Amino acid sequence: STLTPQYITPLQATGGQEPLPLDPAEDMSILSIITIIFPVFCIIGAGYLFGLFRKVSLEPVIEILLYLTIPSLVISSLTKDKILLSEFGVVSLAALTVVLGTGAISFIYLTIVKKRNIRGFYLPTMFMNSGNMAFPLSLLAFGEGGLTVAVIYYVSISIFVYTLGIYIAKGRGGWSEMFKLPLIYAASTGMALNMYDVTLPPFIASTLYLLGGATIPLMLISLGYRLYTTRLKSFRMSMSGTLIRITGGFLIAYAFVTVLHIDGLTGKIIILSSSMPSAVINFIVSYRYRVDSDLVASIIAMSTLASVITTPLLLYLLQFR
């Protein structure tokens, strides 16, 4: 029989078994939550341990992610199931609300501590790890449907990072950077194919699935390796940035889905993605444009460590929503 995206997954294509999502109707036990988060943090730990024995440059890996695997995952995920334009709009609006909301909280905090000139502080507080953390958690906890919503959220956040984020770091001229990366084109292609019900040829669809399937493990390993090379700077500001990113993101997202009455899987993924730690891409942006990269790396490291505790708690709370 012909293999199509409907019958093949990245894990199956590589010889593994696809994890079964938890039944939302069933209560999540401690064992169930550990089953979800263990693979994620285990692979991050593998990347960290790899840094103990090998010193490599992450730049080629990042290039592969940005130009090959992430665009493939975006297209394959967006063409899997029919996406309503209204759903895409709601998820994107939620992502924008969380970004601007945490940015406002960051501005208030920097005003209070009289350090308003630290532009790099905004990056790790506003832009969360909606990719290499939210993807596997969404897939393992809520299945392929959860991953599709997480991809929509990630695409929105990525566009904000490569526009607003680069503008914060670089200043004038930052808006044009988004057109230099394939993500915006992959997102546009995937949405167009989805809206017009275009089915990709099986050989193209399977190729995209195989490439996209490499995204999650590569991102997690890269994150673990980066954590090994990161040293904490300014404990007070790093802790404040962590609280704004995780707690602030959660509260803003929860208020958003509650006020707009967004229930079901979409609401859960919005809250989950919004409560993730800081994204590694923030360090890359801050390093490239020479803006407080040490502080950015410290907040990324601390928020990721904090997520070891906050993520199981979040998954437990989501079962009651």
Side-chain angles (χ1 to χ4, degrees):
S1 60
T2 303
L3 289 178
T4 66
Q6 183 178 0
Y7 303 109
I8 185 171
T9 67
L11 290 175
Q12 290 171 333
T14 53
Q17 292 184 341
E18 183 180 2
L20 295 175
L22 294 177
D23 186 349
E26 296 179 357
D27 291 342
M28 289 187 185
S29 64
I30 298 298
L31 180 59
S32 299
I33 294 175
I34 292 176
T35 301
I36 294 172
I37 67 172
F38 179 80
V40 176
F41 289 106
C42 185
I43 297 176
I44 293 175
Y48 185 92
L49 291 176
F50 180 78
L52 292 174
F53 302 100
R54 301 286 295 181
K55 299 298 180 290
V56 299
S57 172
L58 285 181
E59 291 184 6
V61 179
I62 293 172
E63 294 291 304
I64 291 173
L65 284 167
L66 290 177
Y67 288 93
L68 288 177
T69 68
I70 292 178
S72 298
L73 178 63
V74 168
I75 294 176
S76 61
S77 296
L78 291 179
T79 55
K80 186 186 309 298
D81 299 310
K82 183 64 177 179
I83 298 175
L84 299 177
L85 188 60
S86 58
E87 181 181 23
F88 189 88
V90 167
V91 175
S92 298
L93 179 60
L96 178 61
T97 301
V98 173
V99 166
L100 296 181
T102 50
I105 297 175
S106 299
F107 176 79
I108 295 172
Y109 169 77
L110 292 177
T111 301
I112 293 175
V113 299
K114 299 179 180 181
K115 292 184 178 181
R116 294 177 59 180
N117 62 326
I118 303 181
R119 289 181 296 145
F121 184 82
Y122 289 97
L123 295 174
T125 57
M126 295 172 65
F127 305 111
M128 72 293 294
N129 197 336
S130 58
N132 54 0
M133 286 286 288
F135 281 2
L137 290 172
S138 300
L139 176 62
L140 293 172
F142 304 106
E144 294 285 351
L147 179 60
T148 299
V149 179
V151 167
I152 296 175
Y153 193 101
Y154 170 78
V155 169
S156 303
I157 290 297
S158 297
I159 292 175
F160 299 148
V161 169
Y162 292 117
T163 52
L164 179 59
I166 291 179
Y167 179 78
I168 292 173
K170 182 181 180 182
R172 301 179 64 179
W175 297 109
S176 62
E177 291 290 321
M178 66 177 290
F179 297 104
K180 298 179 181 179
L181 293 172
L183 177 65
I184 183 65
Y185 305 108
S188 301
T189 300
M191 284 303 299
L193 293 173
N194 190 292
M195 294 302 171
Y196 290 99
D197 292 321
V198 177
T199 301
L200 293 173
F203 63 92
I204 294 180
S206 296
T207 300
L208 291 174
Y209 256 84
L210 286 171
L211 280 173
T215 300
I216 292 176
L218 278 178
M219 289 179 110
L220 293 177
I221 290 172
S222 299
L223 174 59
Y225 184 86
R226 174 55 64 192
L227 290 178
Y228 172 76
T229 61
T230 298
R231 297 294 179 267
L232 291 179
K233 179 182 179 180
S234 182
F235 181 85
R236 178 184 174 185
M237 292 201 70
S238 297
M239 178 60 72
S240 299
T242 296
L243 289 174
I244 294 173
R245 165 78 298 285
I246 297 179
T247 306
F250 169 79
L251 293 176
I252 294 171
Y254 190 86
F256 180 89
V257 300
T258 301
V259 171
L260 295 185
H261 304 288
I262 304 173
D263 300 317
L265 188 60
T266 300
K268 293 178 186 291
I269 299 300
I270 287 176
I271 295 175
L272 177 65
S273 296
S274 301
S275 307
M276 289 294 98
S278 301
V280 181
I281 190 65
N282 294 312
F283 174 80
I284 298 172
V285 171
S286 65
Y287 184 83
R288 180 176 181 181
Y289 297 107
R290 303 294 187 268
V291 54
D292 308 310
S293 60
D294 288 341
L295 176 61
V296 173
S298 296
I299 296 176
I300 293 173
M302 184 169 291
S303 63
T304 301
L305 291 175
S307 69
V308 175
I309 298 175
T310 61
T311 300
L313 178 61
L314 177 62
L315 289 173
Y316 178 77
L317 293 176
L318 284 178
Q319 71 175 309
F320 300 108
R321 193 180 186 285

